[in-house]
Amino acid sequence: VIMRDLGRPMWVHHEAYNEDVVDGPQAWQTTLLISPDLGDYSVIEASDSGTTMLPSAIAMPTNGDGPIVVAAHAVAPQPQYMDAWRSDLRWLADQCVEGNVIMAGDFNATLDHMSGLGEGDGDLGWCRDAAAETGNGGAGTWPTSIPAVLGSPIDHVLVSSAWEVSGSIVVTNLDDAGSDHRPLVAQLEPAS
């Protein structure tokens, strides 16, 4: 509603795990906003075959013209979840196919963790990291309790060859807004 009131309406797609738990962690929810300028989209249920413990969402264009948009959320690499974390990263790599893909979210992984999961010149699957391409790949997006220069870059915007990255920034002036992650904004242009 806020985006609409600002003159930029968005389609809202939502994926949630454990909806029956009252006041569960916010990490159990993933919301994807897509501009109507990209066309109509349908969200594929990813909960059965997607990331293991936290929801990811895959939005497919219903008219075939727009990009596949993936909102990613991999589980954190805590000792008891290491196998699930590796599985999540492999599954996310499989979603970064050749063609027209934009994937963004909390990967709970740096580019070093993704090493070996890229195809061709991709950092994860066939996708390239927008922040790394624009010189911001080392800026820490987590946690907001420490300066970005000391944080971990675990949030990413990844794009396939259909997109050129013309800019990116890790937003550091909202560290007290309530999240323990910093926003990562990437500017993308269709590849010529």
Side-chain angles (χ1 to χ4, degrees):
V1 173
I2 293 170
M3 293 294 290
R4 183 191 66 213
D5 292 346
L6 292 171
R8 300 294 297 175
M10 295 283 165
W11 298 119
V12 178
H13 302 283
H14 187 73
E15 177 82 12
Y17 286 179
N18 306 312
E19 291 183 89
D20 57 321
V21 177
V22 178
D23 294 327
Q26 289 182 344
W28 286 352
Q29 302 176 40
T30 298
T31 301
L32 176 61
L33 303 177
I34 299 178
S35 171
D37 295 344
L38 292 176
D40 292 331
Y41 277 79
S42 177
V43 173
I44 298 170
E45 292 293 327
S47 55
D48 291 336
S49 61
T51 46
T52 55
M53 300 177 71
L54 302 172
S56 293
I58 302 173
M60 302 289 289
T62 58
N63 62 3
D65 293 336
I68 296 169
V69 181
V70 181
H73 200 175
V75 70
Q78 297 173 8
Q80 68 271 32
Y81 302 133
M82 291 304 293
D83 289 340
W85 175 69
R86 287 184 197 99
S87 174
D88 285 358
L89 292 179
R90 284 190 301 273
W91 183 84
L92 290 167
D94 289 344
Q95 307 319 300
C96 269
V97 296
E98 288 185 278
N100 194 357
V101 178
I102 299 172
M103 180 183 286
D106 178 1
F107 290 76
N108 275 307
T110 67
L111 287 178
D112 288 334
H113 295 127
M114 296 178 194
S115 177
L117 295 174
E119 299 288 339
D121 66 346
D123 296 306
L124 187 69
W126 291 96
C127 293
R128 304 168 337 272
D129 186 84
E133 284 197 5
T134 55
N136 292 314
T141 59
W142 177 85
T144 56
S145 61
I146 62 175
V149 69
L150 300 175
S152 295
I154 62 171
D155 300 280
H156 303 274
V157 174
L158 297 160
V159 298
S160 66
S161 60
W163 296 94
E164 292 179 9
V165 183
S166 54
S168 74
I169 186 169
V170 173
V171 180
T172 58
N173 64 344
L174 298 172
D175 285 357
D176 60 354
S179 175
D180 61 344
H181 290 256
R182 293 184 177 92
L184 169 62
V185 179
Q187 182 172 314
L188 311 175
E189 308 289 337
S192 51

